[in-house]
């Protein structure tokens, strides 16, 4: 059509926008509906209770706590926020471990920012396995890293708990249809190259492991360098393997990536938009914006600017799973027990 040819009535006057912005609320709504239906089916005789411990002064942790409380109460859960001095935290957690009215325990990290590797890890191990809603105790982490799905093999009725934010990002990728349902379960990211910019023990490293265990080639980036997470050539290994890549930088791997996930906890960091490939999927899980919003929309096909509400939905999902994993109580009907055994079975 030449420049002088008149535009037919009703024809578009400009090309459609290429980037779809997906808000966390859109993803979370479906998950919360699933939580409600599962909770109803397992017939718990009281409101489920989550105890959350805040022992730091991080404003982002407090904001997350407020969001969690709001969502919990809207969904019919009890949320007990306990503000406690860090030196009294262990004792408070032990008390919650022994309280039969508490179904799950959440701790806001970091507690000791300068010594996270030791003291925070000790607190993670203080939380009882049966109440570890975050999936951060050794048994849950071991299962995740070794690609073990169940706590009770060979019966395989009790699913292991996965960390909330990493699982929230997995659920977001499923919602965005980055996972390929045609492929076998456990291989549905085969052929995808994903970069995760964060390698914390709570979020970035578990996320890289989960994605690699599902078949992706994952570049994990932090200030110390680049690591490659894969299940080997042709995804033949049963669980992920990790290889240091000292010759690679973020600038080298961004142009290779189908998905880029930012989780750098500082306002100063921005993913270099000019290095992103056309049509990339970008997800931000940092409290800060790791992507330049207007610029990334010119490159990305899909952009998820935050993941917080999905993380809270996963938190409640994990709480219901803990309840489902608990021993059968006297008076539990056969239908309710069957619902417990089938809770979120598609994970």
């Amino acid at each position: 059509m030449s420049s002088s040819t008149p535009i037919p009535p009703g024809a578009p006057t400009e090309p459609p926008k290429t980037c779809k912005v997906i808000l966390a609320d859109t993803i979370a709504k479906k998950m919360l509906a699933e939580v409600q239906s599962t909770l109803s089916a397992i017939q718990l005789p009281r409101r489920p209770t989550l105890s959350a411990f805040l022992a730091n002064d991080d404003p982002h942790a407090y904001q997350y706590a407020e969001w969690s409380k709001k969502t919990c109460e809207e969904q019919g859960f009890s949320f007990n926020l306990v503000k406690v001095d860090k030196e009294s935290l262990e004792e408070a957690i032990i008390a919650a471990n022994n309280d039969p009215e508490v179904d799950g325990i959440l701790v806001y990290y970091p507690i000791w920012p300068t010594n996270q590797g030791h003291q925070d890890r000790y607190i993670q191990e203080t939380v009882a396995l049966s109440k570890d809603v975050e999936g951060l105790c050794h048994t849950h982490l071991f299962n995740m890293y070794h690609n073990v799905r169940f706590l009770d093999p060979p019966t395989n009725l009790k699913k292991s708990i996965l960390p909330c934010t990493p699982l929230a990002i997995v659920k977001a990728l499923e919602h965005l249809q980055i996972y390929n349902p045609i492929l076998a379960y456990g291989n549905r990211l085969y052929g995808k190259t994903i970069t995760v910019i964060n390698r914390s023990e709570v979020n970035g490293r578990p996320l890289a492991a989960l994605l690699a265990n599902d078949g992706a080639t994952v570049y994990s980036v932090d200030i110390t360098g680049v690591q490659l997470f894969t299940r080997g050539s042709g995804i033949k290994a049963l669980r992920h393997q990790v290889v240091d890549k000292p010759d690679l930088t973020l600038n080298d791997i961004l142009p290779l990536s189908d998905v880029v996930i930012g989780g750098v906890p500082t306002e100063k960091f921005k993913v270099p938009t000019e290095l992103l490939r056309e049509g990339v999927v970008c997800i931000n899980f940092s409290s800060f914006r790791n992507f330049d919003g207007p610029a990334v929309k010119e490159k990305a096909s899909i952009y998820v600017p935050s993941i917080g509400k999905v993380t809270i939905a996963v938190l409640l999902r994990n709480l219901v799973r803990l309840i489902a994993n608990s021993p059968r109580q006297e008076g539990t009907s056969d239908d309710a027990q069957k619902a417990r055994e089938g809770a979120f079975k598609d994970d």
Side-chain angles (χ1 to χ4, degrees), residues 305-339:
S306 69
I307 210 76
K309 290 186 178 180
V310 186
T311 300
I312 295 170
V314 167
L315 179 70
L316 297 184
R317 198 173 186 272
N318 280 355
L319 182 58
V320 174
R321 171 157 280 157
L322 287 175
I323 295 168
N325 284 350
S326 65
R328 182 171 183 169
Q329 301 295 313
E330 185 177 349
T332 302
S333 69
D334 290 342
D335 286 345
Q337 185 61 26
K338 185 177 180 181

Side-chain angles (χ1 to χ4, degrees), residues 202-253:
V202 174
N203 291 320
R205 187 185 297 276
L207 175 59
L210 285 173
L211 299 175
N213 283 343
D214 282 338
T217 296
V218 183
Y219 290 101
S220 171
V221 184
D222 75 353
I223 58 173
T224 67
V226 177
Q227 291 183 336
L228 177 63
F229 287 59
T230 72
R231 276 176 45 212
S233 177
I235 58 172
K236 291 185 171 62
L238 294 176
R239 67 181 183 91
H240 74 281
Q241 304 162 349
V242 183
V243 179
D244 287 319
K245 291 292 183 179
D247 296 332
L248 293 179
T249 68
L250 180 63
N251 289 1
D252 297 317
I253 60 180

Side-chain angles (χ1 to χ4, degrees), residues 267-317:
E267 185 66 50
K268 297 178 181 178
F269 176 80
K270 289 288 185 289
V271 175
T273 307
E274 67 277 8
L275 296 178
L276 296 172
R277 65 187 296 178
E278 297 281 346
V280 67
V281 173
C282 295
I283 299 176
N284 181 75
F285 74 87
S286 171
S287 300
F288 302 93
R289 295 296 171 93
N290 284 179
F291 297 91
D292 180 340
V296 80
K297 291 173 190 176
E298 299 297 320
K299 269 290 188 71
S301 58
I302 300 173
Y303 174 44
V304 182
S306 69
I307 210 76
K309 290 186 178 180
V310 186
T311 300
I312 295 170
V314 167
L315 179 70
L316 297 184
R317 198 173 186 272

Side-chain angles (χ1 to χ4, degrees), residues 41 52 57 78 82 136 156 201 214 255 309 337 346:
D57 298 321
S78 294
V82 182
L136 294 177
N156 292 347
E201 294 298 330
D214 282 338
K309 290 186 178 180
Q337 185 61 26
D346 294 333

Side-chain angles (χ1 to χ4, degrees), residues 6 8 20 25 61 93 109-110 123 147 149 158 182 223 240 250-251 258 298-299 304 307-308 324:
K20 183 76 171 179
D25 190 54
I93 290 174
Y109 299 100
I123 291 297
N147 208 12
R149 303 282 177 164
K158 297 182 179 182
I182 295 174
I223 58 173
H240 74 281
L250 180 63
N251 289 1
D258 303 297
E298 299 297 320
K299 269 290 188 71
V304 182
I307 210 76

